[in-house]
Amino acid sequence: MDKSADHHIHSTYNDHSDSDLTIKNVIDFAENMGLRKIAFTEHVRRTAEWIPKYLGEIQMCSRNSSLEIISGFEAKILSNGSIDCPQEYRSEHFLIASFHTIFGNKEYWINALKLAIQDPTVDVIGHLAPEPDFKMSAFEIDSIAEEIVRNQKVVELNSKYRRPPLDWIASFKRMGVKFHLGSDAHKLESIGCFENINHLIAAAEGSIK
Ligand SMILES: [Zn+2]
Ligand SMILES: [Zn+2]
């Protein structure tokens, strides 16, 4: 697992990150801590109006950086399985699809997840974990893994929420799912910070069973 790449970073383009989490500060901070690659993945909705400014600022600040810098979005998986992101930005940019609402119904949830996995514009499934009330069978978890592999999506190991759960990672690993790391940083100090999920990383690398 490449700890020099952080694939999930927010910025001041949302209203709940630290005020010093500017695009420029994120890049400077990541360079100083020796990261190689970062992805800006701001929370987006279909109605978002700040996107051109956000993308322009990333492009401008990336010019003199030694980092590999990806511009993208984190979008909500809606109850019908669609992704809450404007269509025109999707294929050109990195897209994480995540659950941000409680469905309260396991069948609907699995169905929406599978539709999101099948969406050709989605690159990554973010901080994936079942809702606390869901009892998921090994068969159900494997069937999700199968869908992920078939559609060549990446599953993020998320250090903010410490997800996915260990048994999901074990199943995913067995089924051949690919993983990468995301801090889900809403403040500078969280960027590239993965020490708290060493057990998940070990499971994804297959060094523990
Ligand atoms: Zn999220
Ligand atoms: Zn996030």
Side-chain angles (χ1 to χ4, degrees):
M1 201 68 46
D2 182 3
K3 290 184 183 171
S4 71
D6 187 340
H7 293 89
H8 190 152
I9 299 175
H10 291 281
S11 72
T12 46
Y13 278 85
N14 70 58
D15 58 6
H16 59 279
S17 285
D18 276 8
S19 58
D20 60 353
L21 197 70
T22 61
I23 303 286
K24 182 173 186 317
N25 286 352
V26 168
I27 293 173
D28 289 348
F29 191 92
E31 278 177 357
N32 286 335
M33 73 176 295
L35 293 188
R36 182 184 61 77
K37 178 182 181 184
I38 58 169
F40 285 98
T41 54
E42 195 52 277
H43 294 291
V44 73
R45 287 174 189 273
R46 284 185 185 136
T47 51
E49 288 172 351
W50 45 264
I51 295 175
K53 188 166 183 279
Y54 163 74
L55 294 174
E57 192 172 336
I58 295 173
Q59 196 178 26
M60 196 182 70
C61 294
S62 300
R63 271 187 202 137
N64 296 316
S65 174
S66 56
L67 294 173
E68 183 184 337
I69 298 170
I70 295 170
S71 58
F73 305 97
E74 177 183 21
K76 199 196 292 183
I77 302 172
L78 301 170
S79 54
N80 64 1
S82 71
I83 307 298
D84 198 2
C85 179
Q87 196 66 41
E88 70 253 47
Y89 296 108
R90 288 193 191 189
S91 23
E92 299 295 311
H93 298 280
F94 184 68
L95 184 58
I96 302 177
S98 309
F99 285 107
H100 284 154
T101 43
I102 293 291
F103 279 43
N105 179 305
K106 188 176 75 169
E107 276 65 43
Y108 285 167
W109 185 88
I110 292 176
N111 188 47
L113 174 59
K114 288 189 175 175
L115 288 171
I117 294 166
Q118 289 160 9
D119 187 321
T121 65
V122 168
D123 298 294
V124 181
I125 304 300
H127 53 71
L128 182 59
E131 290 176 17
D133 293 346
F134 293 171
K135 296 268 173 292
M136 302 284 294
S137 69
F139 176 79
E140 285 168 328
I141 299 170
D142 282 359
S143 80
I144 292 167
E146 224 168 67
E147 206 60 43
I148 292 168
V149 171
R150 188 180 305 131
N151 290 279
Q152 299 178 303
K153 305 302 178 192
V154 173
V155 167
E156 162 192 275
L157 303 187
N158 182 295
S159 60
K160 179 171 186 241
Y161 296 104
R162 302 178 196 217
R163 290 176 178 171
L166 210 45
D167 57 329
W168 283 52
I169 295 176
S171 157
F172 285 7
K173 172 76 183 166
R174 184 166 38 76
M175 304 288 284
V177 171
K178 295 207 168 19
F179 301 96
H180 70 200
L181 296 171
S183 67
D184 211 343
H186 286 71
K187 55 180 185 219
L188 286 170
E189 308 82 80
S190 303
I191 295 169
C193 231
F194 305 116
E195 286 76 26
N196 64 334
I197 53 165
N198 276 331
H199 58 305
L200 303 185
I201 294 170
E205 286 174 341
S207 47
I208 56 166
K209 294 276 177 265

